[in-house]
Amino acid sequence: MTKHAVVVAGGGPTGLMLAGELALAGIDVAIVERRASQDLTGSRSRGLHSRTIEVLDQRGIAERFLSEGQVAQVAGFAGTRLDISDFPTRHPYGLALLQKDFECILAGWVDELAVPIRREREVTGFAQDAGGVDVQLSDGTTLRSDYLVGCDGGRSVVRKAAGIEFPGWEPTTSTLIAEVQLAEEPKWGVHDNALGRHAFSKLEGGLVGVLVTEEHVNTASEATLGELSQALIAVWGTDYGVHSPTSISRFTDMARQAAAYRAGRVLLAGDAAHVHYPVGGQGLNTGVQDAVNLGWKLAQIVNGTSPDSLLDTYHAERHPVAARVLRNTIAQTLLINPSDYVRTLGDIITELLTMEEPRRRFAAMISGLDIHYDLGEGHPLLGRRMPDLDLHTADGPTRVFILLHDARPVLLNLGEPGGFDISPWANRVRLVDATHEGVWELPVLGEIAAPPAVLIRPDGHVAWAGDLTDPELPRALATWFGVGTPNSIEGGVTTPPSPGPRPG
């Protein structure tokens, strides 16, 4: 029986990102993927939001995606575009990039990290015990792993086999999306009516991208050319001579979220943990960010530097994020499928979003730049993404995200050097003495007071901020990165306290 530290079920965006994060930490990880190659039929997701671009920048690979996509203002709410060009980020924009291209580029990075992908196989079940998980594959073989992560989509076999409930809302509408040829010129662009949202777009090779809401809800996963023709006629009175489809698929506005992101040694991420209507383009982005939150935590547990309880913070932090995504997508779905009464509400919301404060709040929410993990009281940075500051160090100029390229935590000291003995954690936390000139600013919150030092997690979120003499610093280090080796610690603490998961 082949053994891996972690088996990832599913080689889509979430599974690939998670495998890359684990590989950076030196974890033996393998992906099980049903496709024979990374080729993907249809376009699916069409782009990245600002925070996802930042996450890729934190790993030094953002330029790979930026060079293949088109920078654009992609944030929006129910059809109202929300400009983030004035936001305090190095990437105040989104990126128009089809999922099939995103996956191809990401898979190239994962291949460089030597992650094996077991293709043309699926996880069909598992049995876990106190020491690990036996993962059954569709070819009859079994893998042994310390942990199994289900990144296998909305119909996740892993989630079902784990017995994790998937509560939420039943679908009220269904939509067909296709790449086809048309014999007649359609009405290009996006169109909304009482039935829902419809669109025609020009694609490469003479293909037309078609989006059409069906007259009646259909929950079948497969879709046919006949059903597409029928749906077009119901909306437009003609099917425009639709023929020669290269892809046809169906999605609904069903909104569900896993009741737990973890069952023992089995975890969920991406669509396996949450599904919703794709309005706002938040699904892929939420999944990739799930992976970045989970990867370093799982790596530390596999490496034995942190207790198993650290995994509880994955659910505590990411479940509320996806719950908010479900909430805003449900609201948007209602607004783009309006009756005359609801259309009036939509007009009022559109008017509100032209105002500065609502525009900033909603744009930060959709783009993922305002995500705040509840790590307790403290500095405004606590639990939020660390700004990508320009820094001056003894080795020359750099910036915060460059310090995170190897997915290793950083204690960034902006005061006098020598105020803290990092040696008990030197094998896992990097201490960087630096200076920064300029203001500190966060989306929505605006300017904030610059702390003397910050402890930055591998996912780019701040675990602690304050003075190096603060007795909370050793506690934060122990909580998030394990107990240090015995040593004297400046600031009045002799040995770090026992770790325990911090609330949130």
Side-chain angles (χ1 to χ4, degrees):
M1 184 185 299
T2 304
K3 175 75 164 62
H4 296 284
V6 179
V7 169
V8 176
T14 303
L16 289 170
M17 192 72 207
L18 177 60
E21 292 290 290
L22 291 167
L24 282 176
I27 301 301
D28 174 17
V29 56
I31 297 173
V32 177
E33 168 56 35
R34 61 178 175 79
R35 289 175 288 172
S37 70
Q38 210 60 44
D39 293 342
L40 186 67
T41 302
S43 58
R44 304 198 186 184
S45 170
R46 292 181 172 270
L48 307 179
H49 282 297
S50 177
R51 179 54 188 159
T52 303
I53 301 172
E54 285 192 340
V55 164
L56 298 170
D57 197 355
Q58 288 173 185
R59 298 300 177 257
I61 58 175
E63 188 54 42
R64 304 185 188 197
F65 301 89
L66 292 171
S67 64
E68 295 296 324
Q70 183 177 352
V71 169
Q73 291 299 327
V74 302
F77 189 85
T80 300
R81 286 294 173 201
L82 302 171
D83 192 334
I84 65 167
S85 59
D86 61 342
F87 273 33
T89 169
R90 206 172 292 272
H91 303 285
Y93 44 74
L95 186 70
L97 182 70
L98 297 181
Q99 180 174 331
K100 58 185 179 182
D101 298 322
F102 176 79
E103 284 195 25
C104 183
I105 299 167
L106 195 60
W109 176 60
V110 171
D111 185 60
E112 292 170 14
L113 295 171
V115 175
I117 302 180
R118 295 173 177 267
R119 294 195 175 277
E120 297 185 90
R121 278 163 278 192
E122 298 180 70
V123 172
T124 57
F126 65 84
Q128 63 171 313
D129 53 47
V133 187
D134 291 328
V135 184
Q136 291 112 35
L137 306 186
S138 56
D139 65 355
T141 62
T142 300
L143 301 177
R144 178 71 174 175
S145 65
D146 295 330
Y147 290 89
L148 168 66
V149 185
C151 301
D152 51 342
R155 297 178 177 85
S156 172
V157 170
V158 173
R159 185 189 66 240
K160 293 173 183 176
I164 297 175
E165 295 183 1
F166 203 40
W169 292 264
E170 293 295 331
T172 65
T173 184
S174 59
T175 301
L176 297 175
I177 185 169
E179 295 181 359
V180 298
Q181 292 186 12
L182 300 181
E184 306 167 19
E185 186 90 358
K187 296 183 178 179
W188 301 109
V190 178
H191 312 274
D192 293 337
N193 63 14
L195 196 59
R197 173 154 290 180
H198 322 283
F200 296 101
S201 59
K202 296 180 180 179
L203 303 177
E204 295 179 359
L207 289 173
V208 176
V210 175
L211 180 80
V212 58
T213 301
E214 295 181 280
E215 189 173 12
H216 303 291
V217 179
N218 189 334
T219 59
S221 57
E222 302 297 326
T224 67
L225 180 60
E227 289 171 326
L228 178 62
S229 173
Q230 183 180 356
L232 287 169
I233 292 171
V235 175
W236 301 107
T238 176
D239 66 2
Y240 296 101
V242 62
H243 66 97
S244 305
T246 59
S247 68
I248 306 176
S249 59
R250 174 184 284 111
F251 60 86
T252 73
D253 64 338
M254 179 176 69
R256 294 187 180 277
Q257 185 175 21
Y261 281 15
R262 179 190 182 193
R265 291 178 173 271
V266 178
L267 299 110
L268 304 175
D271 289 352
H274 41 76
V275 295
H276 53 83
Y277 193 67
V279 63
Q282 301 167 87
L284 179 151
N285 292 269
T286 305
V288 168
Q289 292 169 42
D290 285 346
V292 175
N293 182 285
L294 174 60
W296 65 274
K297 297 174 181 177
L298 187 53
Q300 288 185 178
I301 291 161
V302 171
N303 283 331
T305 59
S306 290
D308 181 79
S309 58
L310 181 64
L311 280 182
D312 295 334
T313 69
Y314 169 59
H315 173 95
E317 292 178 356
R318 294 304 298 174
H319 193 278
V321 171
R324 190 170 68 155
V325 171
L326 263 65
R327 180 172 174 264
N328 81 57
T329 54
I330 290 171
Q332 291 184 75
T333 304
L334 290 171
L335 292 173
I336 63 174
N337 296 290
S339 64
D340 289 340
Y341 269 50
V342 176
R343 184 176 292 108
T344 301
L345 173 62
D347 292 343
I348 292 173
I349 290 176
T350 298
E351 182 179 347
L352 286 172
L353 291 177
T354 64
M355 301 177 185
E356 185 65 8
E357 183 65 14
R359 190 267 302 184
R360 283 184 168 274
R361 286 186 177 274
F362 276 68
M365 173 180 67
I366 298 297
S367 64
L369 291 171
D370 73 337
I371 292 172
H372 177 211
Y373 301 140
D374 183 8
L375 305 189
E377 299 296 324
H379 192 277
L381 269 175
L382 190 62
R384 290 186 167 88
R385 52 175 277 287
M386 178 67 186
D388 186 23
L389 305 177
D390 289 309
L391 302 172
H392 298 278
T393 71
D395 296 325
T398 188
R399 54 189 179 92
V400 169
F401 286 4
I402 290 176
L403 301 179
L404 296 173
H405 281 186
D406 60 358
R408 184 181 177 188
V410 173
L411 177 57
L412 179 61
N413 174 36
L414 297 161
E416 289 295 321
F420 185 80
D421 179 9
I422 195 63
S423 58
W425 291 275
N427 64 338
R428 64 194 88 146
V429 180
R430 180 182 178 189
L431 172 62
V432 177
D433 295 316
T435 59
H436 168 70
E437 298 175 0
V439 300
W440 292 47
E441 189 176 1
L442 294 176
V444 181
L445 293 185
E447 289 189 20
I448 60 171
V454 288
L455 180 60
I456 310 168
R457 307 188 325 186
D459 59 2
H461 283 256
V462 174
W464 168 90
D467 189 276
L468 291 180
T469 60
D470 181 2
E472 286 299 319
L473 174 54
R475 296 189 180 97
L477 285 161
T479 295
W480 295 107
F481 311 118
V483 175
T485 57
N487 207 328
S488 61
I489 300 175
E490 295 185 25
V493 178
T494 304
T495 57
S498 298
R502 185 175 292 195

